[in-house]
Amino acid sequence: MSRGFRWVGGSRTDTPMGRGLSGAMYVEWEKPEGPGSSTPVVLVHGGGGQGTDWLGTPDSRPGWAPLLVERGRSVYVVDRPGYGRAAGTAPEGEKCGPAPTLEMTAGIFAAGADPRHTQWPGPGGPDDPAVVNLAASSASVPLDQAAAQQRDGDRLIELLESIGPAVLITHSLGAPAGWLAAAARPDLVEAVVALEPPGPPFLNAPQMGLSLDWGLTSAPLPYEPAVSAPQELREGSTWTVPGLRGLPVAVVEAEASPLGGGAGAVADYLRQVGARADHIRLADHDVRGNGHGMVLELNNHDILDVVLRWLDSVGLSS
């Protein structure tokens, strides 16, 4: 196998610590021996997470990145600007919300109160070591989500321009960057797998600093007919997103997640704007007991198998 890392986009700036990068995305890549898959996979982390969420689990099992490489896929794991290994690249003066607390992290990923949630690698709750580790690796989210999503989408496009067409797998708040990149450059996105993207469409959640003014995103999507202001989208006309037309999309929902309730509505909206969207309920595939952090959980390999079978079904097998 071969592996490495690279920086994508951004600009050189002067900081109190010397010369630095602003707005750059960090990308770690790994390729299997031999030809591997003709379609690489780009993994986009969610919310305040980071690329390492795809590398391993809190109990030291392999994450989706190494599992995909074992299955013959070339994998690109990104840290969005301002997160993880790209933590120092957030634009100077960018305002962010509060840092994730143990209680907040537990509430999203492992509250420990839902008897259906059996796959988290720990007891759950704010004192759970797995929750403590996850909170320690998390960062606060920019308050200007429109600008952050647009920046993330632009960086994904730059990455795709250098590696060629790929499958995007996004988690949670990483999904808007995926929608924006796919809509702008459909020639570079073969399919999107969105693990519990923010929704339902037009969600307004001020407590999260999130408003999906453009349906699936806070940043403008290129609708047809052209839309000059997002409120037009609520006025009853039929709108499409030409760049998403015919794009295979899987919207994945876990059984015991507090954030999975909008998945079906997101899939419905994607079909409305032209995508070939499937709503995948893991429980329908006999994959039970998962929460929002499904890629970190005990049966993460079973969830990946569901995703790979779906990719097979749309003609994107290894």
Side-chain angles (χ1 to χ4, degrees):
M1 287 179 284
S2 57
R3 55 170 61 94
F5 73 91
R6 60 190 297 182
W7 291 98
V8 175
S11 57
R12 295 285 177 182
T13 59
D14 292 312
T15 72
M17 302 298 292
R19 296 285 285 172
L21 276 172
S22 175
M25 174 180 283
Y26 178 93
V27 182
E28 177 176 331
W29 58 269
E30 186 168 0
K31 298 180 179 181
E33 294 181 0
S37 169
S38 60
T39 307
V41 174
V42 178
L43 300 174
V44 185
H45 65 83
Q50 57 180 304
T52 54
D53 295 341
W54 301 102
L55 302 181
T57 67
D59 54 339
S60 301
R61 288 173 296 106
W64 276 25
L67 291 173
L68 282 162
V69 174
E70 285 180 7
R71 288 159 171 78
R73 298 258 177 184
S74 297
V75 176
Y76 295 79
V77 178
V78 310
D79 283 284
R80 294 172 14 233
Y83 297 95
R85 291 159 291 188
T89 71
E92 186 176 358
E94 182 171 72
K95 295 181 179 180
C96 294
T101 64
L102 290 174
E103 290 74 18
M104 182 190 307
T105 303
I108 294 172
F109 294 100
D114 188 339
R116 300 174 304 161
H117 192 186
T118 59
Q119 297 292 344
W120 179 256
D127 297 325
D128 178 355
V131 170
V132 173
N133 287 340
L134 186 60
S137 68
S138 299
S140 54
V141 175
L143 294 178
D144 188 345
Q145 272 295 299
Q149 291 173 16
Q150 189 63 64
R151 180 175 65 237
D152 295 345
D154 290 343
R155 296 297 172 267
L156 280 180
I157 290 171
E158 291 179 67
L159 173 62
L160 294 168
E161 286 175 339
S162 65
I163 67 175
V167 173
L168 301 182
I169 300 182
T170 66
H171 180 229
S172 192
L173 198 54
W179 307 137
L180 290 163
R185 291 298 305 271
D187 57 315
L188 294 175
V189 179
E190 297 282 1
V192 176
V193 177
L195 309 177
E196 296 199 345
F202 302 102
L203 172 70
N204 182 25
Q207 72 279 12
M208 300 169 58
L210 180 65
S211 181
L212 300 179
D213 297 332
W214 292 84
L216 301 174
T217 60
S218 302
L221 276 170
Y223 283 92
E224 188 178 89
V227 177
S228 59
Q231 58 265 29
E232 295 177 26
L233 296 169
R234 299 173 179 266
E235 294 174 357
S237 298
T238 299
W239 309 93
T240 64
V241 179
L244 300 182
R245 190 174 295 137
L247 176 71
V249 178
V251 182
V252 181
E253 177 184 350
E255 179 181 34
S257 170
L259 298 182
V266 169
D268 289 342
Y269 190 79
L270 283 162
R271 287 190 286 270
Q272 177 185 321
V273 300
R276 292 166 46 201
D278 294 316
H279 177 200
I280 297 179
R281 300 176 182 87
L282 292 177
D284 292 344
H285 296 262
D286 202 29
V287 178
R288 315 299 296 264
N290 291 103
H292 188 60
M294 63 188 82
V295 300
L296 303 172
E297 298 191 320
L298 296 174
N299 62 345
N300 65 338
H301 57 288
D302 292 329
I303 301 168
L304 180 58
D305 286 342
V306 172
V307 168
L308 292 176
R309 287 197 295 271
W310 178 82
L311 288 173
D312 287 343
S313 75
V314 297
L316 292 168
S317 57
S318 309

